[in-house]
Amino acid sequence: MADQDAAARTETEWKRLLGSRYVESELVRAAYAEPRLRQLFPWTGMWELHFSRCIESPWTWDVPYIRPQPGGRFRVEGPSRTEFVGEADSVEAAVAMVVDRLPPGCGPAVVNRDALATEESGS
């Protein structure tokens, strides 16, 4: 039941972001088209697109995020704000950079951090 709730809420948030004015729709569409990112909970801040392994705040910070740049470029950073991954000329290249750096065993978003810790411990 919790897995279904997490999946439904994740899908709802993706759909909401597709119509948001706080993040580029091209970026949201490209990330949503990637199955490994689509299963993560999307959230935005400062025009950036972030991906969380849990659907409740505080979101996880273990997946890189994408920041649009002037001139149609994209900057991939993270997971922390002090880590720079690279710049990309296309949204597809930026999405690929994030996918290449997903944490090991990164699966669908869960309800909260406690569920994530339980899942990772194998309990």
Side-chain angles (χ1 to χ4, degrees):
M1 178 76 157
D3 290 342
Q4 291 173 338
D5 290 344
R9 286 180 56 193
T10 298
E11 181 68 17
T12 297
E13 188 63 11
W14 276 108
K15 300 289 187 192
R16 187 187 72 77
L17 286 182
L18 285 167
S20 173
R21 60 185 175 125
Y22 297 109
V23 65
E24 292 183 12
S25 60
E26 172 192 26
L27 174 55
V28 176
R29 281 192 306 273
Y32 182 78
E34 169 51 57
R36 293 188 64 196
L37 295 183
R38 185 172 53 242
Q39 70 181 349
L40 300 175
F41 189 81
W43 62 279
T44 62
M46 300 187 303
W47 304 100
E48 302 162 346
L49 180 58
H50 295 256
F51 311 93
S52 177
R53 294 172 67 199
C54 67
I55 65 170
E56 294 180 349
S57 181
W59 294 286
T60 59
W61 276 84
D62 56 354
V63 174
Y65 59 93
I66 304 170
R67 175 186 297 185
Q69 298 292 292
R73 294 180 54 83
F74 297 87
R75 183 177 170 105
V76 179
E77 298 177 352
S80 76
R81 289 226 175 258
T82 60
E83 296 176 71
F84 173 73
V85 174
E87 289 197 8
D89 291 328
S90 72
V91 68
E92 294 83 8
V95 165
M97 282 186 211
V98 173
V99 170
D100 287 345
R101 288 160 182 83
L102 289 173
C106 186
V110 296
V111 173
N112 59 43
R113 286 177 181 262
D114 292 340
L116 185 59
T118 300
E119 182 180 284
E120 288 175 345
S121 72
S123 299

